Amino acid sequence: LAKTTQPISMDSYEGQEVNITCSHNNIATNDYITWYQQFPSQGPRFIIQGYKTKVTNEVASLFIPADRKSSTLSLPRVSLSDTAVYYCLVGPSNAGGTSYGKLTFGQGTILTVHP
Amino acid sequence: ETGVTQSPTHLIKTRGQQVTLRCSSQSGHNTVSWYQQALGQGPQFIFQYYREEENGRGNFPPRFSGLQFPNYSSELNVNALELDDSALYLCATLGQGIKTQYFGPGTRLLVL
């Protein structure tokens, strides 16, 4: 599984856009990039997933350059409730659905949003 | 709301004891994974069950074992508890039609 590197921590203020970049130099052809959010004493929550270019949902955007060796999670106009740990994961997915149940988490990025 | 529930929410055990943690999913998906998350660390994959059979294991000793039942609920059993087993234990099921996982709220285990 491809290893990921992301900043240990980031600080921001309410209303700002936050971009968290993740490096995954050894990403494989069939790997997807997935971001999770985790609040203290809760399970990780799926935010967004992508394979290439740009993906946007109601919560965030995910930018993936052509070489796929990095990705950037963009959170628009953060609020205090966005303070959490954000994990970038890279791993395979297949039609059978079993191999992508084995996620490898790094230490994540602690995002702190200030008033 | 992920539809994944775990019980109990908190548990205190002593070294050498055994513990059973439980997980169930409203969606009844046939794949469930278990993770251990030590304080300040990311979740670490323990093992996965697919159609009641173990389908992959992380770097955890055999005293970590599991079961998956026909209704797709699952148990994680840990024997001979050690102090380092103190952690948040998470289970996760696969999302329907999406290549991702949905996690439960976890069980916080403290081993004294």
Side-chain angles (χ1 to χ4, degrees):
Chain A
L1 294 174
K3 182 181 177 181
T4 60
T5 303
Q6 49 183 126
I8 294 175
S9 65
M10 294 182 67
D11 288 273
S12 184
Y13 292 89
E14 285 189 290
Q16 289 189 334
E17 177 185 75
V18 170
N19 296 308
I20 306 175
T21 297
C22 179
S23 297
H24 28 79
N25 292 319
N26 297 322
I27 189 169
T29 303
N30 61 343
D31 282 346
Y32 282 72
I33 300 156
T34 310
W35 286 80
Y36 284 84
Q37 174 194 56
Q38 187 178 27
F39 299 111
S41 295
Q42 294 186 26
R45 182 177 76 100
F46 170 82
I47 300 176
I48 197 166
Q49 184 181 78
Y51 184 81
K52 62 180 179 181
T53 63
K54 177 184 175 182
V55 180
T56 297
N57 61 23
E58 65 278 6
V59 176
S61 294
L62 178 59
F63 299 92
I64 306 168
D67 65 7
R68 303 201 327 123
K69 294 184 182 300
S70 67
S71 59
T72 299
L73 173 72
S74 181
L75 304 172
R77 298 179 299 280
V78 294
S79 64
L80 297 177
S81 62
D82 292 317
T83 294
V85 180
Y86 292 82
Y87 294 98
C88 163
L89 285 80
V90 174
S93 299
N94 62 26
T98 58
S99 69
Y100 58 81
K102 306 164 190 174
L103 300 179
T104 300
F105 287 81
Q107 283 197 304
T109 297
I110 302 172
L111 172 65
T112 304
V113 179
H114 303 277
Chain B
E1 182 60 49
T2 64
V4 179
T5 59
Q6 293 186 243
S7 62
T9 56
H10 297 82
L11 200 55
I12 300 175
K13 291 286 189 178
T14 56
R15 229 171 6 170
Q17 285 189 312
Q18 178 267 343
V19 69
T20 297
L21 309 181
R22 294 177 175 83
C23 173
S24 63
S25 169
Q26 290 181 352
S27 67
H29 204 281
N30 57 15
T31 302
V32 63
S33 300
W34 284 90
Y35 295 81
Q36 179 196 66
Q37 186 173 25
L39 201 60
Q41 303 295 317
Q44 300 299 305
F45 174 74
I46 302 175
F47 47 56
Q48 179 187 80
Y49 275 78
Y50 174 64
R51 293 183 175 177
E52 304 177 48
E53 297 286 332
E54 185 176 297
N55 180 48
R57 170 180 282 264
N59 189 27
F60 283 83
R63 61 189 184 84
F64 285 79
S65 63
L67 285 172
Q68 186 182 28
F69 300 99
N71 65 357
Y72 302 130
S73 63
S74 177
E75 287 182 355
L76 165 65
N77 299 289
V78 187
N79 294 321
L81 284 168
E82 301 177 359
L83 297 179
D84 285 348
D85 294 334
S86 296
L88 180 69
Y89 288 85
L90 299 159
C91 75
T93 61
L94 295 179
Q96 296 289 349
I98 301 175
K99 301 177 181 64
T100 185
Q101 295 190 40
Y102 293 110
F103 285 81
T107 293
R108 174 72 64 185
L109 173 65
L110 177 62
V111 182
L112 302 176

